[in-house]
Amino acid sequence: AQSVTQLDSQVPVFEEAPVELRCNYSSSVSVYLFWYVQYPNQGLQLLLKYLSGSTLVKGINGFEAEFNKSQTSFHLRKPSVHISDTAEYFCAVSPNDYKLSFGAGTTVTVRA
Amino acid sequence: EAQVTQNPRYLITVTGKKLTVTCSQNMNHEYMSWYRQDPGLGLRQIYYSMNVEVTDKGDVPEGYKVSRKEKRNFPLILESPSPNQTSLYFCASTKSGQGGEQYFGPGTRLTVT
């Protein structure tokens, strides 16, 4: 079984400041790793994914994440946020093509 | 346009009245799943399907049924809804070999009174 812990439930940040969202996971098998974003009153959209290869993964909208196998972490970062980045962010892991386990989510609120 | 559709988008019903939420995808994906989203809990998988006539329980299957008679459709059935099933429901589909990358529908907000 897999479990995902997002270490911050709420992250307030000022516009143009950097942000980091922390995600740790546990699994007895190798997993694929994902970050999804949910804008207010919308569905989920994939930000980025790690399947294999380089541990630094770049996604859409200027986000990137780094996979750290020894620390079982997959933290998400953006060097400069915009008001439009206000959303809820979910970290997720999957051991195969059909079973996905999500963290509880981190709400990012960007203020001017 | 590649998409996952769900209907209805909003539903208010009463305890015990059977309901079905439909889900359809036009990407010919093998895998489909249902999730429920609750505040502070993230998304939890209810059921998934690996192909036509092949379904299995996720993490929170109690009180739900599914069927997969056609590849594109994966309805979620609540035979006797209860207030604790009030939630936001998402259907998703995945192509084989993509490592579990899910394409999500727009969501169905269900209220059971």
Side-chain angles (χ1 to χ4, degrees), chain A:
Chain A
Q2 292 74 43
S3 68
V4 180
T5 302
Q6 291 183 240
L7 297 165
D8 307 288
S9 59
Q10 309 252 0
V11 174
V13 58
F14 286 107
E15 193 173 21
E16 298 184 9
V19 70
E20 178 180 75
L21 308 184
R22 297 177 294 166
C23 173
N24 289 343
Y25 70 93
S26 68
S27 177
S28 56
V29 299
S30 295
V31 292
Y32 307 114
L33 298 142
F34 305 86
W35 276 99
Y36 285 87
V37 60
Q38 184 178 32
Y39 298 106
N41 298 313
Q42 293 189 27
L44 280 82
Q45 179 182 357
L46 181 70
L47 269 181
L48 49 78
K49 62 184 178 184
Y50 173 79
L51 303 184
S52 66
S54 172
T55 57
L56 184 61
V57 180
K58 294 192 184 297
I60 62 171
N61 301 340
F63 284 93
E64 63 180 31
E66 184 150 22
F67 169 55
N68 188 317
K69 188 174 182 179
S70 62
Q71 297 187 4
T72 60
S73 67
F74 191 52
H75 301 335
L76 180 71
R77 302 183 183 96
K78 186 170 182 178
S80 176
V81 295
H82 304 290
I83 297 289
S84 58
D85 292 320
T86 293
E88 190 160 20
Y89 293 80
F90 292 97
C91 181
V93 302
S94 175
N96 48 43
D97 281 340
Y98 45 87
K99 200 125 174 61
L100 200 63
S101 298
F102 284 83
T106 298
T107 299
V108 173
T109 304
V110 182
R111 298 169 179 156

Side-chain angles (χ1 to χ4, degrees), chain B residues 21-104:
Chain B
V21 184
T22 65
C23 172
S24 184
Q25 51 98 1
N26 63 1
M27 295 169 280
N28 201 37
H29 286 172
E30 292 82 4
Y31 304 110
M32 297 185 75
S33 294
W34 276 102
Y35 297 86
R36 62 177 289 172
Q37 182 181 7
D38 301 290
L41 297 177
L43 282 82
R44 294 175 292 167
Q45 195 173 40
I46 302 171
Y47 269 94
Y48 61 91
S49 169
M50 290 176 278
N51 215 322
V52 175
E53 303 291 2
V54 183
T55 63
D56 205 351
K57 297 176 181 178
D59 299 318
V60 287
E62 293 77 22
Y64 304 95
K65 283 178 59 178
V66 293
S67 68
R68 186 103 179 266
K69 293 183 169 54
E70 302 167 284
K71 194 172 184 179
R72 63 184 292 125
N73 296 324
F74 191 44
L76 179 70
I77 303 156
L78 285 72
E79 296 214 327
S80 184
S82 62
N84 64 13
Q85 294 178 297
T86 292
S87 187
L88 180 57
Y89 291 86
F90 288 101
C91 180
S93 71
T94 308
K95 182 176 175 56
S96 175
Q98 294 298 308
E101 177 183 344
Q102 313 251 325
Y103 294 78
F104 285 88

Side-chain angles (χ1 to χ4, degrees), chain B residues 7-26:
Chain B
N7 283 293
R9 295 287 314 277
Y10 301 90
L11 180 59
I12 301 174
T13 190
V14 296
T15 300
K17 185 176 182 182
K18 181 179 179 179
L19 66 91
T20 299
V21 184
T22 65
C23 172
S24 184
Q25 51 98 1
N26 63 1

